[in-house]
Structures are given as C-alpha cells and as structure tokens.
Amino acid sequence: MASAALREKQAPIKASYKSDPSSALVTLSSKGTIDSSSITCKLDTGRQIQGAKAKLAGLHPKAGGDDPEISGELCSGDMLLEALAACAGVTLKAVATALDIPIKSGTVTAEGDLDFRGTMGVDREAPVGFQGIRLGFEIKLEDGAEVDEDKIEKLGKLTERYCVVLQTIVKKPEVRNSEDGIERGLAWGQKI
C-alpha cells in the first residue's frame, strides 16, 4: 500500500481515536477446541482465512486493515493469541494424558486488550501492545469419569508451567534486532 493511500485510509481512524479515545480500545480473542481423539487443539478461524493457501499477516481493521473475513489476513495480535490458545490446548491435552485425566472435549480461549492509539501513534502516552491477556479453559470429562479437584488443579498448574508460548509471554525473553547489518540487543524496548 502506497504511503499516501495508507495515510488517507488511517486519517479518519486516527481522528476518531483523538476525539473518542474509547473507540481505540479493543479486545482480540482466539478460541481453540480439544477432544478425546488426539493431543491437538483445533483453532477457530474465519472461513476465508481457512481457505487461504498461506496465513497472511496484515493490519487490523482498527489500524486501517481490511476485514479478515474478506481479505484472509489476520493481524499479528490475532496470531499471537492463536499461538497461545493452540499451545495451551495441546499442553493441556498432553498433561491430561500423562495424568490419566479423560477429557472428552474442551475449549481454550485467549483474549487480549489493546489500545490502538498507541500503535497508531495518536497518543504517545498510550501503550503499544497488549495490556492484559487472559487464558481460560472449559473442559468436559468422559461420561462417568470422576477426577478429584486436586488433580484438576494440578492439570491447570502444569499446563501453565509447560506451555511454551505462555511462558515466553510471561518471562519476557531478551530480543535481538538486526538493522543494516548492525546487530542491536533489545530488552523489551531498552537498548542494551
């Protein structure tokens, strides 16, 4: 997209965020399902996105992007939440299998809150990135199965402990960035 066209498309969005800051607030979410057939997590994505040959990252509609149901594009925030839901679902199934907890079905939901004033450069004080992420599980056990609460609590704690994506978000790893052949280290926004 050409520079002028992008600015033209984003100008009314930015103006609305300046006049009504609450219009820039959005909660993104991703949902996955698990069942008794395998140690997998099936993600819920739109029809157009499922039909795409490759997953495309694009601007979120709140930043001037097209509707993902039409374009097949997801914003990277959606993709991050998808990765979290998928990893947490697979981890939950693996831990349940190891603990001999017979899960019949379940849902994993990852939600994150964004303020697009930050990412759009409308307000320098507004944060960029997710300000809160929530991860939730609903599971249904096989018919007739009885599992005590301590074992279910252990399932939750071990899922949290061994979910790679969740632990990456929580522990904030060092990130390295290479620009024009010069490698620079970043520690979450601070040059090192």
mmCIF file of all heavy atoms in Angstrom, residues 46-87:
data_model
loop_
_atom_site.group_PDB
_atom_site.id
_atom_site.type_symbol
_atom_site.label_atom_id
_atom_site.label_comp_id
_atom_site.label_asym_id
_atom_site.label_seq_id
_atom_site.Cartn_x
_atom_site.Cartn_y
_atom_site.Cartn_z
ATOM 1 N N GLY A 46 -11.771 -17.669 10.705
ATOM 2 C CA GLY A 46 -12.810 -17.359 9.726
ATOM 3 C C GLY A 46 -12.725 -18.240 8.484
ATOM 4 O O GLY A 46 -11.673 -18.813 8.176
ATOM 5 N N ARG A 47 -13.828 -18.325 7.744
ATOM 6 C CA ARG A 47 -13.897 -19.166 6.540
ATOM 7 C C ARG A 47 -12.862 -18.767 5.508
ATOM 8 O O ARG A 47 -12.214 -19.615 4.906
ATOM 9 C CB ARG A 47 -15.289 -19.076 5.935
ATOM 10 C CG ARG A 47 -16.355 -19.755 6.734
ATOM 11 C CD ARG A 47 -17.686 -19.724 5.982
ATOM 12 N NE ARG A 47 -17.985 -18.405 5.432
ATOM 13 C CZ ARG A 47 -18.651 -17.451 6.069
ATOM 14 N NH1 ARG A 47 -19.097 -17.656 7.281
ATOM 15 N NH2 ARG A 47 -18.886 -16.291 5.501
ATOM 16 N N GLN A 48 -12.705 -17.470 5.248
ATOM 17 C CA GLN A 48 -11.763 -17.021 4.228
ATOM 18 C C GLN A 48 -10.329 -17.341 4.635
ATOM 19 O O GLN A 48 -9.511 -17.708 3.814
ATOM 20 C CB GLN A 48 -11.910 -15.512 3.983
ATOM 21 C CG GLN A 48 -13.248 -15.107 3.432
ATOM 22 C CD GLN A 48 -13.504 -15.694 2.060
ATOM 23 O OE1 GLN A 48 -12.579 -15.956 1.300
ATOM 24 N NE2 GLN A 48 -14.755 -15.943 1.743
ATOM 25 N N ILE A 49 -10.050 -17.206 5.927
ATOM 26 C CA ILE A 49 -8.704 -17.457 6.417
ATOM 27 C C ILE A 49 -8.382 -18.945 6.290
ATOM 28 O O ILE A 49 -7.293 -19.327 5.894
ATOM 29 C CB ILE A 49 -8.567 -16.969 7.876
ATOM 30 C CG1 ILE A 49 -8.768 -15.457 7.906
ATOM 31 C CG2 ILE A 49 -7.223 -17.352 8.470
ATOM 32 C CD1 ILE A 49 -9.072 -14.904 9.268
ATOM 33 N N GLN A 50 -9.359 -19.804 6.602
ATOM 34 C CA GLN A 50 -9.147 -21.245 6.493
ATOM 35 C C GLN A 50 -8.848 -21.641 5.063
ATOM 36 O O GLN A 50 -8.088 -22.563 4.814
ATOM 37 C CB GLN A 50 -10.382 -22.007 6.992
ATOM 38 C CG GLN A 50 -10.546 -21.949 8.483
ATOM 39 C CD GLN A 50 -11.826 -22.649 8.942
ATOM 40 O OE1 GLN A 50 -12.667 -23.018 8.152
ATOM 41 N NE2 GLN A 50 -11.942 -22.816 10.244
ATOM 42 N N GLY A 51 -9.466 -20.958 4.090
ATOM 43 C CA GLY A 51 -9.276 -21.298 2.691
ATOM 44 C C GLY A 51 -7.993 -20.751 2.095
ATOM 45 O O GLY A 51 -7.620 -21.131 0.988
ATOM 46 N N ALA A 52 -7.319 -19.876 2.784
ATOM 47 C CA ALA A 52 -6.097 -19.278 2.246
ATOM 48 C C ALA A 52 -4.984 -20.321 2.147
ATOM 49 O O ALA A 52 -4.880 -21.218 2.970
ATOM 50 C CB ALA A 52 -5.642 -18.119 3.133
ATOM 51 N N LYS A 53 -4.143 -20.200 1.113
ATOM 52 C CA LYS A 53 -3.027 -21.128 0.949
ATOM 53 C C LYS A 53 -1.928 -20.852 1.958
ATOM 54 O O LYS A 53 -1.205 -21.737 2.346
ATOM 55 C CB LYS A 53 -2.476 -21.035 -0.467
ATOM 56 C CG LYS A 53 -3.446 -21.591 -1.483
ATOM 57 C CD LYS A 53 -2.873 -21.575 -2.862
ATOM 58 C CE LYS A 53 -3.928 -22.147 -3.792
ATOM 59 N NZ LYS A 53 -3.544 -22.186 -5.139
ATOM 60 N N ALA A 54 -1.795 -19.613 2.346
ATOM 61 C CA ALA A 54 -0.804 -19.230 3.343
ATOM 62 C C ALA A 54 -1.475 -18.258 4.303
ATOM 63 O O ALA A 54 -2.369 -17.508 3.922
ATOM 64 C CB ALA A 54 0.392 -18.552 2.682
ATOM 65 N N LYS A 55 -1.056 -18.296 5.539
ATOM 66 C CA LYS A 55 -1.608 -17.363 6.516
ATOM 67 C C LYS A 55 -0.912 -16.024 6.308
ATOM 68 O O LYS A 55 0.303 -15.935 6.313
ATOM 69 C CB LYS A 55 -1.355 -17.882 7.930
ATOM 70 C CG LYS A 55 -2.216 -17.198 8.948
ATOM 71 C CD LYS A 55 -2.138 -17.890 10.273
ATOM 72 C CE LYS A 55 -3.283 -18.853 10.350
ATOM 73 N NZ LYS A 55 -3.526 -19.344 11.696
ATOM 74 N N LEU A 56 -1.702 -14.986 6.097
ATOM 75 C CA LEU A 56 -1.171 -13.656 5.842
ATOM 76 C C LEU A 56 -1.356 -12.770 7.055
ATOM 77 O O LEU A 56 -2.430 -12.741 7.645
ATOM 78 C CB LEU A 56 -1.900 -13.005 4.660
ATOM 79 C CG LEU A 56 -1.749 -13.677 3.306
ATOM 80 C CD1 LEU A 56 -2.645 -12.983 2.288
ATOM 81 C CD2 LEU A 56 -0.315 -13.651 2.862
ATOM 82 N N ALA A 57 -0.315 -12.033 7.384
ATOM 83 C CA ALA A 57 -0.413 -11.033 8.436
ATOM 84 C C ALA A 57 -0.690 -9.698 7.767
ATOM 85 O O ALA A 57 -0.084 -9.366 6.744
ATOM 86 C CB ALA A 57 0.884 -10.967 9.238
ATOM 87 N N GLY A 58 -1.636 -8.952 8.335
ATOM 88 C CA GLY A 58 -1.975 -7.645 7.792
ATOM 89 C C GLY A 58 -2.376 -6.711 8.909
ATOM 90 O O GLY A 58 -2.368 -7.080 10.080
ATOM 91 N N LEU A 59 -2.744 -5.516 8.539
ATOM 92 C CA LEU A 59 -3.192 -4.544 9.525
ATOM 93 C C LEU A 59 -4.545 -4.959 10.091
ATOM 94 O O LEU A 59 -5.403 -5.466 9.368
ATOM 95 C CB LEU A 59 -3.349 -3.162 8.886
ATOM 96 C CG LEU A 59 -2.074 -2.423 8.496
ATOM 97 C CD1 LEU A 59 -2.432 -1.150 7.729
ATOM 98 C CD2 LEU A 59 -1.258 -2.093 9.728
ATOM 99 N N HIS A 60 -4.737 -4.715 11.364
ATOM 100 C CA HIS A 60 -6.037 -4.926 11.986
ATOM 101 C C HIS A 60 -6.983 -3.849 11.434
ATOM 102 O O HIS A 60 -6.544 -2.739 11.121
ATOM 103 C CB HIS A 60 -5.900 -4.783 13.513
ATOM 104 C CG HIS A 60 -7.132 -5.162 14.250
ATOM 105 N ND1 HIS A 60 -8.182 -4.293 14.410
ATOM 106 C CD2 HIS A 60 -7.481 -6.313 14.855
ATOM 107 C CE1 HIS A 60 -9.142 -4.889 15.088
ATOM 108 N NE2 HIS A 60 -8.745 -6.123 15.375
ATOM 109 N N PRO A 61 -8.282 -4.156 11.294
ATOM 110 C CA PRO A 61 -9.213 -3.127 10.818
ATOM 111 C C PRO A 61 -9.167 -1.832 11.632
ATOM 112 O O PRO A 61 -9.374 -0.745 11.089
ATOM 113 C CB PRO A 61 -10.579 -3.806 10.943
ATOM 114 C CG PRO A 61 -10.274 -5.262 10.760
ATOM 115 C CD PRO A 61 -8.931 -5.460 11.433
ATOM 116 N N LYS A 62 -8.845 -1.914 12.933
ATOM 117 C CA LYS A 62 -8.743 -0.703 13.770
ATOM 118 C C LYS A 62 -7.513 0.125 13.425
ATOM 119 O O LYS A 62 -7.360 1.251 13.910
ATOM 120 C CB LYS A 62 -8.699 -1.087 15.256
ATOM 121 C CG LYS A 62 -10.019 -1.590 15.782
ATOM 122 C CD LYS A 62 -10.760 -0.439 16.390
ATOM 123 C CE LYS A 62 -11.916 -0.873 17.237
ATOM 124 N NZ LYS A 62 -12.663 0.265 17.713
ATOM 125 N N ALA A 63 -6.618 -0.447 12.574
ATOM 126 C CA ALA A 63 -5.434 0.289 12.130
ATOM 127 C C ALA A 63 -5.494 0.567 10.625
ATOM 128 O O ALA A 63 -4.510 0.955 10.026
ATOM 129 C CB ALA A 63 -4.166 -0.505 12.462
ATOM 130 N N GLY A 64 -6.666 0.310 10.028
ATOM 131 C CA GLY A 64 -6.833 0.577 8.599
ATOM 132 C C GLY A 64 -6.779 -0.657 7.731
ATOM 133 O O GLY A 64 -6.801 -0.552 6.504
ATOM 134 N N GLY A 65 -6.718 -1.828 8.317
ATOM 135 C CA GLY A 65 -6.683 -3.060 7.540
ATOM 136 C C GLY A 65 -8.065 -3.483 7.088
ATOM 137 O O GLY A 65 -9.083 -2.944 7.527
ATOM 138 N N ASP A 66 -8.080 -4.443 6.190
ATOM 139 C CA ASP A 66 -9.341 -4.970 5.663
ATOM 140 C C ASP A 66 -9.936 -5.985 6.620
ATOM 141 O O ASP A 66 -9.242 -6.570 7.450
ATOM 142 C CB ASP A 66 -9.108 -5.624 4.300
ATOM 143 C CG ASP A 66 -8.680 -4.616 3.247
ATOM 144 O OD1 ASP A 66 -9.186 -3.486 3.263
ATOM 145 O OD2 ASP A 66 -7.834 -4.974 2.400
ATOM 146 N N ASP A 67 -11.226 -6.234 6.478
ATOM 147 C CA ASP A 67 -11.926 -7.243 7.271
ATOM 148 C C ASP A 67 -11.281 -8.600 6.986
ATOM 149 O O ASP A 67 -11.214 -9.026 5.835
ATOM 150 C CB ASP A 67 -13.408 -7.257 6.879
ATOM 151 C CG ASP A 67 -14.222 -8.280 7.636
ATOM 152 O OD1 ASP A 67 -13.651 -9.181 8.287
ATOM 153 O OD2 ASP A 67 -15.457 -8.179 7.581
ATOM 154 N N PRO A 68 -10.805 -9.304 8.030
ATOM 155 C CA PRO A 68 -10.134 -10.584 7.795
ATOM 156 C C PRO A 68 -11.042 -11.639 7.164
ATOM 157 O O PRO A 68 -10.559 -12.535 6.480
ATOM 158 C CB PRO A 68 -9.662 -11.016 9.189
ATOM 159 C CG PRO A 68 -10.389 -10.169 10.155
ATOM 160 C CD PRO A 68 -10.822 -8.939 9.436
ATOM 161 N N GLU A 69 -12.355 -11.516 7.330
ATOM 162 C CA GLU A 69 -13.274 -12.463 6.702
ATOM 163 C C GLU A 69 -13.252 -12.300 5.185
ATOM 164 O O GLU A 69 -13.552 -13.233 4.452
ATOM 165 C CB GLU A 69 -14.700 -12.283 7.234
ATOM 166 C CG GLU A 69 -14.886 -12.760 8.661
ATOM 167 C CD GLU A 69 -14.717 -14.268 8.817
ATOM 168 O OE1 GLU A 69 -15.092 -15.031 7.907
ATOM 169 O OE2 GLU A 69 -14.189 -14.677 9.855
ATOM 170 N N ILE A 70 -12.890 -11.112 4.710
ATOM 171 C CA ILE A 70 -12.835 -10.845 3.269
ATOM 172 C C ILE A 70 -11.413 -11.028 2.746
ATOM 173 O O ILE A 70 -11.186 -11.697 1.745
ATOM 174 C CB ILE A 70 -13.326 -9.405 2.971
ATOM 175 C CG1 ILE A 70 -14.798 -9.278 3.371
ATOM 176 C CG2 ILE A 70 -13.122 -9.049 1.505
ATOM 177 C CD1 ILE A 70 -15.309 -7.854 3.405
ATOM 178 N N SER A 71 -10.440 -10.452 3.445
ATOM 179 C CA SER A 71 -9.057 -10.451 2.951
ATOM 180 C C SER A 71 -8.294 -11.722 3.282
ATOM 181 O O SER A 71 -7.308 -12.044 2.618
ATOM 182 C CB SER A 71 -8.293 -9.259 3.543
ATOM 183 O OG SER A 71 -8.118 -9.443 4.946
ATOM 184 N N GLY A 72 -8.728 -12.441 4.318
ATOM 185 C CA GLY A 72 -7.972 -13.617 4.747
ATOM 186 C C GLY A 72 -6.763 -13.251 5.590
ATOM 187 O O GLY A 72 -5.972 -14.117 5.945
ATOM 188 N N GLU A 73 -6.604 -11.968 5.909
ATOM 189 C CA GLU A 73 -5.463 -11.518 6.700
ATOM 190 C C GLU A 73 -5.826 -11.441 8.175
ATOM 191 O O GLU A 73 -6.920 -11.045 8.538
ATOM 192 C CB GLU A 73 -5.017 -10.122 6.242
ATOM 193 C CG GLU A 73 -4.587 -10.055 4.813
ATOM 194 C CD GLU A 73 -4.357 -8.635 4.328
ATOM 195 O OE1 GLU A 73 -4.618 -7.674 5.079
ATOM 196 O OE2 GLU A 73 -3.937 -8.488 3.190
ATOM 197 N N LEU A 74 -4.886 -11.823 9.005
ATOM 198 C CA LEU A 74 -5.026 -11.652 10.450
ATOM 199 C C LEU A 74 -3.977 -10.658 10.901
ATOM 200 O O LEU A 74 -2.877 -10.620 10.349
ATOM 201 C CB LEU A 74 -4.772 -12.972 11.178
ATOM 202 C CG LEU A 74 -5.841 -14.042 11.105
ATOM 203 C CD1 LEU A 74 -5.356 -15.312 11.794
ATOM 204 C CD2 LEU A 74 -7.120 -13.565 11.750
ATOM 205 N N CYS A 75 -4.294 -9.874 11.918
ATOM 206 C CA CYS A 75 -3.241 -9.019 12.468
ATOM 207 C C CYS A 75 -2.347 -9.903 13.345
ATOM 208 O O CYS A 75 -2.748 -10.980 13.796
ATOM 209 C CB CYS A 75 -3.824 -7.829 13.230
ATOM 210 S SG CYS A 75 -4.241 -8.090 14.949
ATOM 211 N N SER A 76 -1.145 -9.459 13.560
ATOM 212 C CA SER A 76 -0.200 -10.263 14.338
ATOM 213 C C SER A 76 -0.663 -10.463 15.771
ATOM 214 O O SER A 76 -0.328 -11.468 16.400
ATOM 215 C CB SER A 76 1.198 -9.634 14.293
ATOM 216 O OG SER A 76 1.128 -8.277 14.667
ATOM 217 N N GLY A 77 -1.473 -9.545 16.299
ATOM 218 C CA GLY A 77 -2.047 -9.740 17.628
ATOM 219 C C GLY A 77 -2.981 -10.939 17.657
ATOM 220 O O GLY A 77 -2.975 -11.737 18.603
ATOM 221 N N ASP A 78 -3.800 -11.084 16.596
ATOM 222 C CA ASP A 78 -4.659 -12.265 16.476
ATOM 223 C C ASP A 78 -3.806 -13.533 16.429
ATOM 224 O O ASP A 78 -4.120 -14.544 17.060
ATOM 225 C CB ASP A 78 -5.509 -12.204 15.199
ATOM 226 C CG ASP A 78 -6.591 -11.146 15.246
ATOM 227 O OD1 ASP A 78 -7.286 -11.051 16.278
ATOM 228 O OD2 ASP A 78 -6.753 -10.426 14.251
ATOM 229 N N MET A 79 -2.718 -13.467 15.664
ATOM 230 C CA MET A 79 -1.842 -14.634 15.519
ATOM 231 C C MET A 79 -1.174 -15.004 16.839
ATOM 232 O O MET A 79 -1.019 -16.187 17.150
ATOM 233 C CB MET A 79 -0.796 -14.385 14.434
ATOM 234 C CG MET A 79 -1.365 -14.333 13.047
ATOM 235 S SD MET A 79 -0.036 -14.009 11.868
ATOM 236 C CE MET A 79 -0.893 -14.277 10.326
ATOM 237 N N LEU A 80 -0.787 -14.001 17.613
ATOM 238 C CA LEU A 80 -0.184 -14.273 18.917
ATOM 239 C C LEU A 80 -1.188 -14.994 19.818
ATOM 240 O O LEU A 80 -0.850 -15.988 20.475
ATOM 241 C CB LEU A 80 0.288 -12.980 19.579
ATOM 242 C CG LEU A 80 0.858 -13.132 20.995
ATOM 243 C CD1 LEU A 80 2.163 -13.909 20.967
ATOM 244 C CD2 LEU A 80 1.063 -11.787 21.646
ATOM 245 N N LEU A 81 -2.421 -14.512 19.828
ATOM 246 C CA LEU A 81 -3.439 -15.158 20.653
ATOM 247 C C LEU A 81 -3.764 -16.558 20.138
ATOM 248 O O LEU A 81 -4.016 -17.471 20.926
ATOM 249 C CB LEU A 81 -4.694 -14.299 20.736
ATOM 250 C CG LEU A 81 -4.525 -12.980 21.479
ATOM 251 C CD1 LEU A 81 -5.807 -12.153 21.411
ATOM 252 C CD2 LEU A 81 -4.083 -13.187 22.920
ATOM 253 N N GLU A 82 -3.744 -16.751 18.815
ATOM 254 C CA GLU A 82 -3.928 -18.090 18.255
ATOM 255 C C GLU A 82 -2.826 -19.025 18.730
ATOM 256 O O GLU A 82 -3.084 -20.171 19.107
ATOM 257 C CB GLU A 82 -3.917 -18.058 16.722
ATOM 258 C CG GLU A 82 -5.210 -17.721 16.092
ATOM 259 C CD GLU A 82 -5.219 -18.023 14.599
ATOM 260 O OE1 GLU A 82 -4.142 -18.174 13.984
ATOM 261 O OE2 GLU A 82 -6.325 -18.116 14.045
ATOM 262 N N ALA A 83 -1.592 -18.536 18.692
ATOM 263 C CA ALA A 83 -0.464 -19.366 19.139
ATOM 264 C C ALA A 83 -0.609 -19.725 20.610
ATOM 265 O O ALA A 83 -0.345 -20.868 21.009
ATOM 266 C CB ALA A 83 0.861 -18.630 18.896
ATOM 267 N N LEU A 84 -1.049 -18.766 21.416
ATOM 268 C CA LEU A 84 -1.238 -19.025 22.840
ATOM 269 C C LEU A 84 -2.336 -20.062 23.062
ATOM 270 O O LEU A 84 -2.164 -21.017 23.820
ATOM 271 C CB LEU A 84 -1.566 -17.726 23.586
ATOM 272 C CG LEU A 84 -1.865 -17.855 25.080
ATOM 273 C CD1 LEU A 84 -0.704 -18.508 25.823
ATOM 274 C CD2 LEU A 84 -2.189 -16.486 25.665
ATOM 275 N N ALA A 85 -3.487 -19.882 22.400
ATOM 276 C CA ALA A 85 -4.593 -20.829 22.559
ATOM 277 C C ALA A 85 -4.184 -22.219 22.085
ATOM 278 O O ALA A 85 -4.471 -23.224 22.756
ATOM 279 C CB ALA A 85 -5.826 -20.344 21.793
ATOM 280 N N ALA A 86 -3.502 -22.304 20.958
ATOM 281 C CA ALA A 86 -3.084 -23.602 20.417
ATOM 282 C C ALA A 86 -2.100 -24.298 21.345
ATOM 283 O O ALA A 86 -2.252 -25.483 21.674
ATOM 284 C CB ALA A 86 -2.463 -23.413 19.030
ATOM 285 N N CYS A 87 -1.090 -23.567 21.783
ATOM 286 C CA CYS A 87 -0.071 -24.150 22.659
ATOM 287 C C CYS A 87 -0.679 -24.582 23.986
ATOM 288 O O CYS A 87 -0.403 -25.683 24.484
ATOM 289 C CB CYS A 87 1.056 -23.143 22.878
ATOM 290 S SG CYS A 87 2.472 -23.815 23.784
#
